[in-house]
Amino acid sequence: MEQAIYLNYIRIRRKSSEKRPLAEAVRLCKEAGFTRFDYFSDSLDDAKRERELFDSQAVKVIQSHCPFFRYQDNGLEKFRRTAGEAVKIAAALGAEFLVIHADEYRMNDEISRKEMLKITREYLAPVVDLCGQYGLKAAIENLFEEKGPGHRTRFCSEAEEVIDVIESFPGTGIGCCWDSGHHHVSFGDEDFFEKLEMLAPYILCTHIHDNRYGVDMHKPAFFGTIDWERVISVLKKYDYNGDFNWEFVHDRVPDEVYGEYLRFIHASGNYLLNL
């Protein structure tokens, strides 16, 4: 395993709408020890230009993210219009994996799991096929419910559903992007490792972050309640050798200490990977 970091979020400044220039974000990450990134570009032209920057700095994009529109009107149609371009962008960046949220079609309590899988497979099939054409592997991200117990709104918030989607595309190289924080929100401490053991054989790549009390917080490891040493033991047990990819979204720290913050994250990752 090697460490990677979600570069788009490194560009977000605290208390500012102005983003860090990409070159500055890359520099900060490199100085902290990161040379592998999860990244997506706004357009194919941007991706080609940004790939030149990455190559010049001897860093690599290892995975990218397909846009998702769950919180917008006509989300499924927007996904269908943009997913193909996302595949081409990921390929232009040199990524190996394209992470996908398989919940664009909104569930309700009356749709069976079998019917939900059929619907999901139909709209994902062209994307998975295109990934194969461009030498990418699709990675289905595990999600979490947004309503109380007994209400279903998101497909792939259950480990079994992620596996159902993956196994419905045999021979394509598709797998799972395991999101540790989403997993903790879904299963808490009680079922966390039972469900991780189910998903572990399918994991291709990761989004790594911590949280407390089942709230999606995107904190560094050891800032929540996930048992990280045990996580590493399970990943090792199933011979996961992909990247340990940090994904921090919230609580941007001040620019004055941001470099030290990233160095701390890298040191935490080294501790875990050395286990």
Side-chain angles (χ1 to χ4, degrees):
M1 276 190 282
E2 296 184 58
Q3 291 193 69
I5 197 162
Y6 205 130
L7 186 59
N8 294 84
Y9 293 130
I10 305 303
R11 299 184 67 187
I12 299 174
R13 295 184 189 272
R14 182 173 180 259
K15 296 182 179 180
S16 174
S17 60
E18 178 187 355
K19 289 186 177 181
R20 288 187 179 88
L22 181 60
E24 179 185 341
V26 170
R27 176 184 61 79
L28 283 167
C29 289
K30 280 193 72 176
E31 289 174 353
F34 294 100
T35 59
R36 295 167 70 80
F37 299 123
D38 187 331
Y39 184 72
F40 61 90
S41 300
D42 292 333
S43 70
L44 186 56
D45 287 341
D46 285 347
K48 292 175 180 177
R49 183 178 66 254
E50 290 165 349
R51 172 70 180 274
E52 293 178 3
L53 170 65
F54 294 136
D55 289 346
S56 73
Q57 295 298 310
V59 298
K60 180 175 175 55
V61 174
I62 49 93
Q63 66 193 63
S64 193
H65 205 303
C66 196
F68 56 93
F69 304 96
R70 172 178 172 76
Y71 303 103
Q72 300 181 25
D73 292 335
N74 300 316
L76 181 54
E77 292 309 312
K78 291 175 181 176
F79 177 87
R80 286 174 169 147
R81 290 198 302 268
T82 60
E85 183 78 354
V87 173
K88 297 172 186 176
I89 287 171
L93 289 168
E96 183 177 355
F97 308 110
L98 181 67
V99 179
I100 301 172
H101 284 196
D103 69 333
E104 295 292 356
Y105 189 94
R106 288 179 176 270
M107 290 189 73
N108 64 55
D109 296 334
E110 287 149 17
I111 301 178
S112 69
R113 178 172 151 188
K114 181 177 180 181
E115 181 63 18
M116 194 68 249
L117 174 63
K118 178 177 180 292
I119 294 167
T120 302
R121 194 190 184 288
E122 286 173 353
Y123 75 76
L124 288 183
V127 187
V128 174
D129 181 62
L130 197 60
C131 281
Q133 294 177 39
Y134 279 84
L136 293 162
K137 295 178 181 177
I140 305 302
E141 184 170 348
N142 57 299
L143 305 170
F144 61 91
E145 287 295 342
E146 296 171 314
K147 288 189 176 182
H151 295 280
R152 296 302 315 278
T153 66
R154 304 186 78 172
F155 199 54
C156 291
S157 61
E158 294 289 342
E160 293 86 349
E161 293 167 353
V162 177
I163 294 169
D164 283 347
V165 173
I166 293 168
E167 292 187 343
S168 73
F169 292 99
T172 62
I174 191 174
C176 173
C177 174
W178 182 64
D179 188 298
S180 59
H182 294 177
H183 193 93
H184 199 211
V185 173
S186 289
F187 307 118
D189 296 329
E190 184 175 348
D191 296 324
F192 186 98
F193 288 100
E194 176 186 349
K195 299 294 186 176
L196 177 54
E197 294 255 2
M198 291 175 60
L199 285 173
Y202 299 88
I203 297 174
L204 297 177
C205 56
T206 59
H207 285 165
I208 300 297
H209 50 102
D210 207 344
N211 56 42
R212 291 178 182 271
Y213 313 121
V215 180
D216 192 34
M217 300 168 70
H218 288 261
K219 297 286 189 181
F222 310 112
F223 281 61
T225 58
I226 293 175
D227 183 343
W228 288 101
E229 287 86 354
R230 191 173 173 189
V231 166
I232 292 295
S233 71
V234 174
L235 295 178
K236 181 179 179 180
K237 174 182 176 181
Y238 287 91
D239 297 321
Y240 175 71
N241 60 5
D243 287 272
F244 202 74
N245 177 46
W246 301 104
E247 184 191 32
F248 306 120
V249 181
H250 312 301
D251 296 338
R252 300 295 89 196
V253 301
D255 281 0
E256 290 81 359
V257 295
Y258 202 73
E260 293 300 323
Y261 171 73
L262 290 176
R263 280 186 276 276
F264 167 76
I265 299 303
H266 195 267
S268 299
N270 279 343
Y271 160 73
L272 288 170
L273 297 189
N274 286 336
L275 295 177

